[in-house]
Amino acid sequence: MIVDLSELHFADTSVMIDLACLAQRLRAQGRTLWLSGAPPNIRKLIETVGLHRLPAVRLDGTQPAYST
């Protein structure tokens, strides 16, 4: 599943939790969550909380932690 974050200007921990939960559900189905187009501030938040390191998550330009 691809989530286009290019229009997202603000995100807090609730958004990160929702994305982590989505990634967990997708992983259970053998699928990957692709986070695309994150603006620099959102990308930094994703990297700070470690969302991009979760299994089944891929952030633009990073290798997936879990491949399907």
Side-chain angles (χ1 to χ4, degrees):
M1 170 181 282
I2 299 171
V3 176
D4 180 3
L5 302 173
S6 62
E7 296 293 322
L8 187 62
H9 300 289
F10 173 81
D12 59 11
T13 55
S14 65
V15 174
M16 297 299 113
I17 291 168
D18 287 344
L19 290 172
C21 290
L22 176 59
Q24 184 178 15
R25 286 190 305 239
L26 289 171
R27 181 179 182 207
Q29 298 172 7
R31 298 171 63 196
T32 301
L33 173 62
W34 294 71
L35 302 175
S36 174
N41 62 321
I42 303 300
R43 184 180 187 93
K44 183 174 180 173
L45 178 60
I46 289 167
E47 292 172 348
T48 299
V49 301
L51 182 62
H52 68 299
R53 292 190 183 129
L54 292 178
V57 174
R58 182 163 180 163
L59 180 61
D60 287 343
T62 63
Q63 293 297 321
Y66 173 86
S67 55
T68 57

